[in-house]
Every structure is written in C-alpha cells, then in structure tokens.
Amino acid sequence: MLSRREFIAKGTETAVSIATAAGAGLLAGCANSATSHPPMVSSFRDLAGSRSLRAHAHRHGLIYGSAVVIPIVQKNTDFADLLSEQCGILVPSNELKWVALRPSRDTFNFGPPDFLYDFAQRNHMLMRGHNLCWHESVPTWIRKIDNKDEIKQLFVDHITTVCKHYAGKLQSWDVVNEAIDPNDKLPGGLRKSFWYDNVGPDYIDLAFQTARTADPNAKLTYNDYGVEGDNDGDAVKRRLILEMVKGMKSRGVPIDAIGIQSHLNAGEKYGQGVADFIEAFHQMGLEVYLTELDVNDDATVSNDLAGRDAIIAKTYTEFLQAALPNPAVKQVLTWDLSDRFTWLNGLGSHRRKQPNRLERPLPFDADFKPTDCFYALRDSFDHRKRA
Ligand code: G3I
C-alpha cells in the first residue's frame, strides 16, 4: 500500500512517464537516431520527443530538467517550447528565494512560482523548490529586527507558509542551501550567516523539521557546491557535509536527498571523490540530485569556439561518468537550458577572468541550437552503467 507521499511521488513520476512516452510517440515515425549526432539539426524541435534529453534520461532511470528564470518562460514562447520538450522537471532559479518571494514581512509573491507550477503541470513536468534558507537571500526587512526570538519565529512561519502553499505539489525542496563553509572556522564547518547568528546552529534541523511538518510529501534536500572535484578543498567539504548529514540522521531529522550543485570548471578532474560521496549517501538511503549543472570555462583563454566546446563537453562527460552509475542519483538539472540565460554571463567582472567573453556552459546555445554539451549529456544518460 503506497503512502500518500509515495502515491503522489509515483503519480507525478507516472505523469512524467506518460508525457515522455507521448513525446516519444510524436516522433514514432521518425528513425530513432541511432547515432548521437544526427547529421543536421535545423531547429531545436528536431530534438523533441524520443531524441530529447527528457526521453533519454527517462529511459535510464533519471529525470532531466533545468532551472529557469520565470519571466523568460512567460515572455519567450520558443523557449517555453524548448523547456517542455527537453525537461521533465523545473526549478525557479530565483523566485522562491526569500528576497524574491518575501520582499516585505506581509508580502508573499507566490504569483511567479505558481505560474511555473501550472506550466509544469500542463506539460507533465515535475517542479522542485529552491530554497527555504540561504545566507545569500535574506531580505533587508528581517535584517533590521534585533530580536532573535522574533527572527526564529519568522523563520519557522516562513517555511511553514511556503511549504503549505505548495504542499503535495513539489517533488522536492532545497530546504537549506550552502550551510557549510570551513573557512568560517565554526564547529562542524558551519557557515557564519544571518540564520546561524540569529537562530543558532540548530537552524538546519529546525528548517527540515518545519518543512516536513508543513509538507509531508516533498523530498527534503540539503543542497551545496564545491564537493564535485578530486581536490583537497572539495574533499574537506565533502567530509563536513557527510558528518552533518550523519548527525541529522542520528537525531531523526527528516532529510531525503542531497543536492550536488555541480557548477563545474572546464578541464578540472572529477571522478572518485564525487563517486564515493554519492555512494556514502546511497548507503544512508538518501537520494542524490545533480541540481545546478553547468561548466564554466572562464579560466580557459581561447576564442576557438570548437575547442572550448570540446573541453566543456568532455568535462560534462567525465563528471557524469563518475556520478551517474550510482542508483541513488535520480535527477540531473542544468542551471538553465540555454547559454542565452546563463547566470555566468551576469557575474560581476570581479568574479571573471574574461568578463567580455560569453560563456558556453549549457545544452543549447544562445540561438537555442544544441551544443556539444547537449550530446555529452544525452550520451552520458545512454551510457549510464548501473553500479
Ligand atoms: O529581480 C531583480 C531586479 O528587479 C533588479 O532590477 C535587478 C538588479 O538589482 O536584480 C534582480 O534580481 C537579481 C536576481 O538574480 C534575478 O535576476 C539579483 O540581483 C541577482 O543577485 C540574482 O542572481 C541569482 C543568484 O543566484 C543570487 O540569488 C542568479 O540569477 C542565480 O542564477 C544564482 O543561483 C545560485 C543558486 O541559487 C544557488 N547556487 C549557486 C547559483 C549561482 O550563484
């Protein structure tokens, strides 16, 4: 007998399966591209249905999706079509964060996320929430409060209100985002933040417990970056997150999944470190989502686009070869779908070596044409060897 939570999860995944099969059926008459790189793609629509990332992911036990900036989906119908053809799950890149969702104490801007939820439903897509708690999205109005008890109550009330609003609708929530920073030298490697200072180190447990109470169906996720690489810094952060999650499990804190953001750097080494990290969570019975995948090649000084694309695609392939074999990995989301909208081109020049050069991190270029990343992703889904 499925629990309500399992029923909803099954229901939504079934809906995705139906849509994916339907999508595939749309092209039933077309030769299913045996090769990865069909000779000619005149439009992104040639890659819908059985040729899509959504269909290839689904065939190998994965859900592929993307982060989106909601106003773009509302204004650009071609892009909305591309999303619905290629994605089985969406996440708002900004509109569920405190700053966008709650600009004042008494205002909840549910309009844009509600639009995205309806769009996802109409296209048989799942939706995930990002995020209920993040040090980088704390509205000014709450920072002006100097009463810690009041801040803690606001913290609980916010999570309760938002999770109840979407109860039974979202597949998962990034409940807490980026809570670990060993450079802050706090116990457990916790990041010094507004929430740490005002709610205390237990804010993490409190956030997950509050979210579960308000929405028993959503899979509750801890999401972080800087854990993907085979290097000492990422290894330290992996260890700290593992210790934090083991502690949460030992205290009975409800956590269901780990989000590995997967903001990768072209040419860096990704392999055993992230594979072992994922297996450790698999052993704990947690799911793993690759939540914000993209590849930044800002450090590569070159204007040879083909050469850049090849290195970027190779980085996708090597990382996914390490991550995808583990059955705990259930979702792969890129942090947007087209280079036209990548956050990387919006970074301040202080964070970029080549601020005037456009980044090429995603499966579709600025003209919505498939890039080498598209084929690297799709081939990686197809070559998923179950561990
Ligand atoms: O919406 C306002 C607009 O009204 C205003 O005119 C404009 C200029 O100030 O700012 C707009 O808000 C911007 C928002 O994106 C929406 O575009 C914020 O300034 C800007 O800081 C924000 O950047 C986002 C960033 O998170 C910070 O929230 C990026 O788009 C988003 O891609 C990025 O995503 C994060 C994940 O949440 C967590 N993991 C890392 C990832 C990349 O930094």
Side-chain angles (χ1 to χ4, degrees):
M1 176 70 179
L2 292 179
S3 71
R4 172 171 155 67
R5 189 171 159 211
E6 287 163 351
F7 177 76
I8 283 187
K10 203 78 197 138
T12 39
E13 282 164 7
T14 304
V16 171
S17 305
I18 291 167
T20 303
L26 287 176
L27 288 171
C30 302
N32 189 348
S33 58
T35 64
S36 266
H37 301 239
M40 176 65 187
V41 176
S42 58
S43 150
F44 66 78
R45 300 182 195 283
D46 294 345
L47 294 171
S50 65
R51 291 194 176 126
S52 68
L53 293 170
R54 174 177 189 166
H56 282 252
H58 180 72
R59 271 186 225 128
H60 300 280
L62 293 165
I63 300 177
Y64 168 75
S66 176
V68 294
V69 177
I70 293 171
I72 294 170
V73 186
Q74 292 171 312
K75 292 172 195 151
N76 189 319
T77 52
D78 273 354
F79 188 64
D81 290 348
L82 180 61
L83 283 171
S84 62
E85 289 164 1
Q86 294 299 325
C87 298
I89 189 167
L90 298 177
V91 60
S93 53
N94 290 303
E95 295 83 356
L96 281 173
K97 295 172 181 173
W98 274 71
V99 166
L101 184 61
R102 195 139 177 227
S104 70
R105 186 170 184 150
D106 304 322
T107 310
F108 286 86
N109 287 334
F110 285 125
D114 288 354
F115 163 85
L116 190 67
Y117 176 73
D118 293 341
F119 174 80
Q121 285 288 288
R122 286 197 307 274
N123 291 285
H124 302 288
M125 303 156 98
L126 300 177
M127 180 168 154
R128 67 186 313 269
H130 172 83
N131 50 62
L132 295 170
C133 173
W134 186 32
H135 66 283
E136 281 200 29
S137 188
V138 179
T140 307
W141 61 265
I142 198 171
R143 290 182 182 278
K144 292 176 180 171
I145 298 171
D146 60 5
N147 179 315
K148 291 190 177 181
D149 289 341
E150 187 179 354
I151 290 171
K152 182 172 182 176
Q153 192 55 56
L154 280 161
F155 180 72
V156 170
D157 292 349
H158 179 86
I159 294 173
T160 300
T161 304
V162 177
C163 287
K164 278 188 173 177
H165 184 87
Y166 292 107
K169 295 182 174 180
L170 300 189
Q171 180 274 334
S172 58
W173 267 107
D174 287 337
V175 176
V176 173
N177 194 48
E178 304 176 8
I180 295 288
D181 183 351
N183 298 316
D184 288 347
K185 310 284 186 221
L186 290 173
L190 291 185
R191 179 189 298 272
K192 181 172 176 47
S193 72
F194 176 81
W195 302 120
Y196 181 94
D197 292 341
N198 289 283
V199 182
D202 297 341
Y203 81 91
I204 298 168
D205 289 10
L206 181 61
F208 278 85
Q209 288 156 344
T210 306
R212 176 71 96 233
T213 303
D215 181 358
N217 303 303
K219 299 258 186 183
L220 304 184
T221 309
Y222 173 75
N223 191 49
D224 213 329
Y225 68 93
V227 295
E228 302 84 1
D230 283 352
N231 59 69
D232 294 344
D234 287 17
V236 166
K237 198 160 176 181
R238 284 194 288 265
R239 179 178 53 76
L240 290 167
I241 292 171
L242 272 170
E243 284 167 7
M244 179 186 76
V245 173
K246 282 175 186 165
M248 292 170 71
K249 295 283 285 181
S250 70
R251 295 187 295 275
V253 175
I255 178 169
D256 306 302
I258 299 296
I260 297 177
Q261 289 186 13
S262 313
H263 291 296
L264 310 180
N265 295 306
E268 280 196 13
K269 189 166 179 337
Y270 302 100
Q272 202 57 47
V274 72
D276 293 346
F277 191 51
I278 292 169
E279 177 55 19
F281 294 118
H282 182 215
Q283 294 299 323
M284 288 189 227
L286 296 180
E287 296 186 343
V288 175
Y289 308 148
L290 308 183
T291 50
E292 306 185 14
L293 180 56
D294 53 23
V295 176
N296 183 346
D297 78 328
D298 182 46
T300 310
V301 179
S302 164
N303 286 316
D304 163 23
L305 295 189
R308 288 180 60 193
D309 290 350
I311 294 170
I312 292 166
K314 187 167 181 286
T315 304
Y316 266 91
T317 300
E318 286 179 357
F319 175 70
L320 293 171
Q321 270 174 349
L324 292 189
N326 199 300
V329 177
K330 305 295 184 189
Q331 298 177 15
V332 178
L333 292 92
T334 47
W335 202 245
D336 222 299
L337 189 57
S338 161
D339 294 343
R340 187 185 303 182
F341 311 121
T342 178
W343 69 287
L344 292 171
N345 287 334
L347 282 178
S349 53
H350 64 290
R351 290 181 62 182
R352 299 178 69 186
K353 293 182 175 67
Q354 303 173 84
N356 300 318
R357 191 186 74 167
L358 295 178
E359 290 299 307
R360 304 167 63 82
L362 294 168
F364 289 87
D365 69 14
D367 298 321
F368 302 166
K369 291 277 192 302
T371 65
D372 289 1
C373 305
F374 172 90
Y375 296 105
L377 264 170
R378 201 174 69 173
D379 291 350
S380 296
F381 296 157
D382 291 343
H383 298 144
R384 184 187 196 193
K385 296 180 182 61
R386 297 299 181 96

